[in-house]
Amino acid sequence: MNNREPVTRELFNDVMVPNYAPGAMIPVRGEGSRVWDQDDREYVDFAGGIAVNSLGHAHPGLIGALHEQAEKLWHVSNVLTNEPALRLARTLCELTFAERVFFANSGAEANEAAFKLARRYGWQHQGAEKHEIISFTNSFHGRTLFTVAVGGQAKYLEGFEPAPGGIHHATFNDLDSVKALISKEKTCAVVVEPIQGEGGVMPAEAEFLQGLRDLCDEHNALLIFDEVQCGAGRTGHLYAYQHYGVTPDILTSAKGLGGGFPVAAMLTTEKVAESFGVGTHGSTYGGNPLACAVAQKVIDTISQPEILKGIKARSDKLRKGMMAIGEKYDVFTEVRGEGLLLGCVLTEKWQGRGKDFLNAAQAEGLMILIAGANVIRLAPSLIIPDQDIEEGLERFEKAVATLTK
Ligand SMILES: Cc1ncc(COP(=O)(O)O)c(C=O)c1O
């Protein structure tokens, strides 16, 4: 064993499956919206672990919740229930449309549960023919075979077929394309991200979501909102459906829900939940006490009105700053998104160069994200301090100045 030997980026290629291509630096610690690498170089974090670190790094409240639970009980499995899971489920029911909660460990698993539940509900209430799922091109729902098949990006399915069948893809923000596919006999669910994250930070139009709600009601289909990326406070509302005023039958939440601890939840109504009877679905770790204790602290914190209001103010500042840089250097056509999930769309000249922006920003001490090759995506901590926004914008401007020189 040589665990004392330094670990380097080169080691990744020797010991890890090559499905990721991580950047050159290895972060070793973080505090708030700042991160330090192995060389003690400091970065401003506008990436937030891809919309996960909702309260930044090393948040004292989350550390406290984790420590407190760590000293009590780590795991019991679902043969028994546990206090943190019950408390968190009760809180989620109090704060949302939900009447029942299922816990999982990742966004993909929460979606897998949602799709299985929708099929089972259709099967139970109408029969086996009612199993079709409608989703949207460019959507992303996870990497299990079912969620990849439902997702609207064919490249993620390449080489993994045969995929589960009965899945149709309509066009996002185009109600007519849904009307052409939906049927009373066959459609069990329509699944949509209120803001497509991986697909380029593309918000749904309110009329589109309301139209989906109406179509689902008309055709006895369940409406599923995948809020894995845009939920848990990111839009400035606890969940994006509250921003849009359109209520789904099933909602999935993960990423920011745990603030960096793996946890996910599927929220639904009492009536729909009934189709997941004893033994129909499960997860060893789902509802783990450590995960639920941390998520409880996250939800208790971000659901406070002053935190939600603060997200709006931070969003305005960040959006304005990015727009100003975009205009000055002629690199963005628009900055879109809601709250602290923002997408800066590259101009024609810079199409396909998202990664260059990411690398240039990193060289200036700023962590950002891309969504595809044409959109710079920002998903910082929901409580990022003003001075970190300002510092990050300064660093981004330097990066863009270098890149466009
Ligand atoms: C909207 C959406 N759904 C599902 C997922 C999958 O989540 P996870 O990677 O936790 O499985 C993601 C991840 O990016 C996502 O953005």
Side-chain angles (χ1 to χ4, degrees):
M1 292 273 268
N2 57 355
N3 271 347
R4 296 226 170 131
E5 298 248 319
V7 288
T8 61
R9 171 62 183 81
E10 286 69 44
L11 185 60
F12 181 93
N13 301 341
D14 296 336
V15 297
M16 303 284 265
V17 169
N19 60 316
Y20 300 118
M25 70 96 163
I26 300 183
V28 292
R29 74 192 160 88
E31 198 182 320
S33 286
R34 305 269 174 154
V35 168
W36 287 263
D37 71 10
Q38 289 177 311
D39 300 324
D40 214 26
R41 189 157 178 250
E42 173 257 324
Y43 300 79
V44 172
D45 186 2
F46 278 3
I50 320 189
V52 165
N53 299 105
S54 39
L55 296 177
H57 300 273
H59 186 276
L62 298 193
I63 293 173
L66 185 59
H67 279 179
E68 197 184 321
Q69 188 56 41
E71 286 173 6
K72 285 189 192 160
L73 186 71
W74 283 35
H75 181 78
V76 287
S77 93
N78 286 299
V79 171
L80 299 166
T81 189
N82 68 77
E83 289 183 352
L86 289 170
R87 264 189 221 110
L88 178 60
R90 181 174 61 193
T91 301
L92 290 168
C93 288
E94 279 167 5
L95 294 174
T96 71
F97 76 96
E99 296 162 336
R100 297 289 185 272
V101 178
F102 170 80
F103 288 119
N105 315 290
S106 66
E109 285 169 88
N111 283 332
E112 184 84 16
F115 304 156
K116 282 181 70 181
L117 176 59
R119 282 215 166 148
R120 182 114 183 148
Y121 180 86
W123 172 80
Q124 210 162 33
H125 290 266
Q126 207 176 306
E129 209 192 348
K130 190 140 174 103
H131 69 271
E132 289 188 357
I133 295 173
I134 297 175
S135 76
F136 295 92
T137 46
N138 282 330
S139 65
F140 185 81
H141 300 296
R143 298 291 200 136
T144 65
L145 197 52
F146 198 176
T147 54
V148 157
V150 172
Q153 302 186 46
K155 64 181 180 201
Y156 293 135
L157 200 51
E158 195 178 82
F160 297 117
E161 280 151 315
I167 297 159
H168 299 287
H169 294 97
T171 307
F172 192 65
N173 275 333
D174 176 355
L175 218 45
D176 286 337
S177 72
V178 183
K179 283 181 192 156
L181 293 170
I182 198 164
S183 87
K184 248 189 190 143
E185 295 69 38
K186 292 188 175 174
T187 310
C188 71
V190 175
V191 54
V192 65
E193 293 164 80
I195 300 173
Q196 286 191 336
E198 300 302 306
V201 190
M202 183 63 87
E205 284 154 18
E207 308 77 58
F208 173 65
L209 292 185
Q210 185 58 54
L212 291 182
R213 177 70 275 173
D214 296 341
L215 280 176
C216 283
D217 291 344
E218 211 178 297
H219 294 86
N220 279 334
L222 299 178
L223 180 60
I224 304 173
F225 280 0
D226 177 345
E227 295 214 21
V228 168
Q229 188 154 160
C230 66
R234 202 136 283 280
T235 60
H237 294 255
L238 187 56
Y239 284 100
Y241 85 89
Q242 295 159 329
H243 163 70
Y244 281 102
V246 178
T247 304
D249 302 294
I250 301 177
L251 181 151
T252 53
S253 181
K255 285 188 179 279
L257 176 64
F261 202 98
V263 61
M266 179 190 71
L267 316 183
T268 190
T269 60
E270 181 184 357
K271 178 161 190 256
V272 174
E274 272 168 13
S275 293
F276 257 1
V278 173
T280 50
H281 192 62
S283 157
T284 296
Y285 269 128
N288 170 274
L290 291 171
C292 291
V294 175
Q296 182 78 51
K297 191 69 189 175
V298 170
I299 293 291
D300 287 349
T301 308
I302 62 177
S303 60
Q304 290 168 30
E306 64 272 19
I307 298 281
L308 293 173
K309 233 169 63 204
I311 294 166
K312 174 98 183 68
R314 289 170 171 84
S315 172
D316 289 347
K317 191 177 179 77
L318 189 55
R319 193 191 287 264
K320 246 187 234 146
M322 291 302 278
M323 271 310 286
I325 297 168
E327 273 164 22
K328 182 166 169 191
Y329 296 90
D330 197 19
V331 287
F332 303 146
T333 58
E334 63 168 324
V335 178
R336 65 191 179 205
E338 264 315 311
L340 287 171
L341 181 59
L342 296 178
C344 313
V345 185
L346 294 175
T347 52
E348 182 99 29
K349 178 174 172 206
W350 294 96
Q351 292 279 300
R353 301 278 304 273
K355 198 79 193 266
D356 294 342
F357 282 81
L358 188 145
N359 290 335
Q362 205 159 292
E364 293 298 337
L366 173 69
M367 291 155 67
I368 59 171
L369 300 163
I370 49 179
N374 302 328
V375 177
I376 308 293
R377 176 173 37 159
L378 308 177
S381 156
L382 305 180
I383 54 168
I384 183 171
D386 270 358
Q387 60 269 33
D388 288 358
I389 296 181
E390 285 154 20
E391 179 68 31
L393 285 169
E394 265 175 43
R395 292 180 191 188
F396 187 68
E397 177 160 3
K398 273 192 210 151
V400 175
T402 308
L403 200 59
T404 54
K405 206 161 46 194

